[in-house]
Amino acid sequence: MTIPEQPVNFENYQRKDFSSDSDVRWCPGCGDYSILAQMQRVMPAICKELQIPRENIAFISGIGCSSRFPYYMNTYGFHTIHGRAPTIATGLSLSRPELQVWVITGDGDGLSIGANHLIHALRRNINIKILLFNNRIYGLTKGQYSPTSELGKKTKSSPMGSMETPINPLNMAIVSEATFVARAIATDSRQLQDILLRVAKHKGAAFIEILQNCNVFNDCAFDGYADKSVRAERTVSRSFSVRTGTRPSV
Ligand SMILES: Cc1ncc(C[n+]2csc(CCOP(=O)(O)OP(=O)(O)O)c2C)c(N)n1
Ligand code: SF4
Ligand SMILES: [Mg+2]
């Protein structure tokens, strides 16, 4: 990112100030675009309300399509190693408490290889904001079943159907005593922006599962909630987050 030469005026940030000049390499139609757009839209309000300059924000990711996110934010960021983003973010947050540290992970990155790291970051109540992009599939590696794939899911790595019961990421976060838990869906931009703003203000470990369609390897995975015919009756809006505790954050 570019560090401004002028003193920061927190009132003047705009969405474009948070867009990097990297080409976005997700497939056309991928739900990741909406999550990125909502984050870039809400960042000016976050910086203004919390009076933090852009250069005090860091996005730390693991590996996966979702984990390309830091390239596209004009903030500091680190595309790290598979499953270890919460660990690296823990070190950053503890050593530089003035930073606002976001973790970007996927259902494979955060709940397969990285599940252990995720749970411990949550139970330690580290001051990080974890966004888990849940498309119920490994997208980057071309469509293997993940820990959130449904029972019986047929993929190239489970040709007879997955035999495993899926993890409910929110249950895992609550059991790990995360102090802020929420679920959003990439297609509801207003609700997602609202949650991101609330998360930004939270001190301690926040966990947000974002349902994200992978239109190439697991299309329509969330039609049961997102389809217009059922959306209204299956969405709980504006009372979506749970503060599960008041433990001190480290
Ligand atoms: C140590 C290691 N093991 C396996 C891989 C292969 N790999 C890359 S991304 C990925 C899973 C990504 O899935 P997810 O976190 O759901 O991200 P998505 O692509 O769906 O956003 C795997 C298994 C790797 N890069 N490194
Ligand atoms: S493979 Fe799926 S998750 Fe990855 S960029 Fe393409 S649509 Fe998005
Ligand atoms: Mg995935």
Side-chain angles (χ1 to χ4, degrees), residues 10-25:
F10 299 105
E11 315 294 313
N12 285 351
Y13 281 133
Q14 294 172 21
R15 175 184 173 178
K16 65 176 169 46
D17 296 319
F18 294 92
S19 300
S20 77
D21 53 12
S22 297
D23 291 335
V24 183
R25 296 220 184 135

Side-chain angles (χ1 to χ4, degrees), residues 72-115:
Y72 309 136
M73 291 297 299
N74 192 19
T75 60
Y76 281 102
F78 193 1
H79 187 190
T80 70
I81 47 176
H82 206 12
R84 272 58 179 183
T87 313
I88 290 160
T90 294
L92 183 62
S93 179
L94 292 181
S95 59
R96 295 284 307 276
E98 77 280 16
L99 299 186
Q100 184 178 84
V101 181
W102 297 77
V103 169
I104 306 293
T105 185
D107 44 308
D109 189 64
L111 299 173
S112 290
I113 192 169

Side-chain angles (χ1 to χ4, degrees), residues 175-205:
V175 165
S176 306
E177 297 198 43
T179 49
F180 185 112
V181 176
R183 176 184 284 144
I185 186 160
T187 46
D188 187 341
S189 48
R190 272 195 52 205
Q191 191 208 43
L192 180 53
Q193 285 179 36
D194 203 4
I195 292 177
L196 293 174
L197 192 53
R198 291 178 62 173
V199 167
K201 295 177 190 163
H202 179 73
K203 188 154 169 50

Side-chain angles (χ1 to χ4, degrees), residues 106-108 133 135-139:
D107 44 308
F133 294 18
N135 53 17
R136 306 190 80 181
I137 204 80
Y138 291 178

Side-chain angles (χ1 to χ4, degrees), residues 26 47 50 57 92 94 119 126 148 172 193 206 220 235 246:
W26 292 314
C47 291
L50 301 177
I57 297 174
L92 183 62
L94 292 181
I119 287 168
I126 304 291
T148 55
M172 186 215 65
Q193 285 179 36
C220 304
T235 304
T246 51

Side-chain angles (χ1 to χ4, degrees), residues 26-27 30 32 65 135 139-140 212 214-217:
W26 292 314
C27 309
C30 176
D32 288 349
C65 297
N135 53 17
L140 187 76
Q212 170 252 324
C214 168
N215 52 309
V216 173
F217 295 110

Side-chain angles (χ1 to χ4, degrees), residues 27-64:
C27 309
C30 176
D32 288 349
Y33 284 99
S34 171
I35 306 173
L36 177 65
Q38 305 331 318
M39 182 63 86
Q40 289 169 339
R41 282 196 181 112
V42 85
M43 269 294 158
I46 290 175
C47 291
K48 186 174 167 182
E49 285 196 31
L50 301 177
Q51 295 283 292
I52 39 174
R54 201 173 41 156
E55 58 271 23
N56 276 15
I57 297 174
F59 283 85
I60 312 296
S61 66
I63 299 292

